[in-house]
Amino acid sequence: MTARVIPPRSGVAFPLRTGEVLRVIDPEGGQVSDMLAFMAADVGEALSNGRTFDYEETIRLTTGNRLWSNRSQPMLEIVEDSAGTHDFLLTPCSEATFRHFYPDKPVHRGCFGNLAEALAPFGIGPDAIPVAFNIFMNVPVDGEGKLRVIAPATRAGDFIRLRALADLVVGLTACSAYDSCGGAFKPIHYAIEREAPGAES
């Protein structure tokens, strides 16, 4: 398996065909990757956290859970997950995020800006960017509903594998926000695997 590299604080977009498996890897540990998915046939159909929480009946998504679209279609299935902790509550960090949370830090376009640029060639504009599935992101929620963003607990080599249940366009980042990755900006690796004939679909 040859992994591709997403440099720190950048993003990419690419097609993912039905049955292909996207492996997202944290090569050094402690990094987050924002993931978006759109139906290739109609990019107006996109990953939805609300539909996913509804149909999966949990906000803690891991092996065996599916990620659903805004039109109630399953888009991806988590088939393997060595990390076990991800977030599907928070939007991609943006220039506004940096101004709000990090007023003493340089403004960065964040994952939102990186995704917007990467997805533009697929006809997906900034206003179409939904809440991302934030792979490896650590967002504990206490008993009163208060949430925090703390550094991921991932170790070097942790990964998640997601099988495409339809032809998709996927956006993927190496996160840019200080809290999300403990202020240590690192790369993300990814690979597209084609499962052997007869593999479960």
Side-chain angles (χ1 to χ4, degrees):
M1 180 190 70
T2 302
R4 302 173 189 179
V5 178
I6 305 176
R9 308 186 99 181
S10 71
V12 298
F14 49 87
L16 188 69
R17 306 302 181 193
T18 305
E20 292 180 338
V21 174
L22 173 63
R23 181 189 291 260
V24 183
I25 306 145
D26 186 355
E28 300 178 23
Q31 178 58 303
V32 165
S33 180
D34 290 21
M35 185 190 74
L36 301 177
F38 302 82
M39 291 293 195
D42 180 356
V43 295
E45 185 169 3
L47 205 59
S48 167
N49 63 335
R51 297 293 182 193
T52 298
F53 295 153
D54 193 0
Y55 297 134
E56 296 300 302
E57 301 182 70
T58 182
I59 65 171
R60 296 183 178 178
L61 301 160
T62 186
T63 304
N65 290 124
R66 292 183 291 177
L67 308 183
W68 294 74
S69 79
N70 57 320
R71 298 176 187 164
S72 298
Q73 297 299 314
M75 301 181 78
L76 293 146
E77 180 183 7
I78 303 173
V79 295
E80 192 174 3
D81 181 9
S82 74
T85 298
H86 315 282
D87 167 68
F88 208 1
L89 295 170
L90 303 182
T91 59
C93 60
S94 66
E95 290 185 12
T97 304
F98 278 82
R99 292 191 182 97
H100 183 87
F101 288 108
Y102 314 118
D104 59 335
K105 305 286 188 184
V107 173
H108 191 274
R109 68 179 184 176
C111 288
F112 186 91
N114 289 332
L115 287 164
E117 180 180 69
L119 290 164
F122 294 93
I124 300 165
D127 287 343
I129 293 176
V131 172
F133 181 59
N134 300 305
I135 296 170
F136 310 133
M137 193 171 182
N138 194 359
V139 184
V141 181
D142 69 19
E144 296 181 352
K146 180 75 173 178
L147 57 80
R148 295 180 298 139
V149 177
I150 60 177
T154 45
R155 297 170 295 180
D158 273 337
F159 65 92
I160 186 172
R161 297 173 68 238
L162 304 107
R163 181 189 293 117
L165 304 177
D167 290 347
L168 306 174
V169 174
V170 171
L172 204 61
T173 72
C175 191
S176 305
Y178 291 90
D179 289 346
S180 299
C181 57
F185 306 112
K186 300 176 182 180
I188 284 288
H189 292 180
Y190 74 99
I192 297 174
E193 306 170 359
R194 292 163 179 85
E195 293 197 331
E200 183 181 352
S201 59

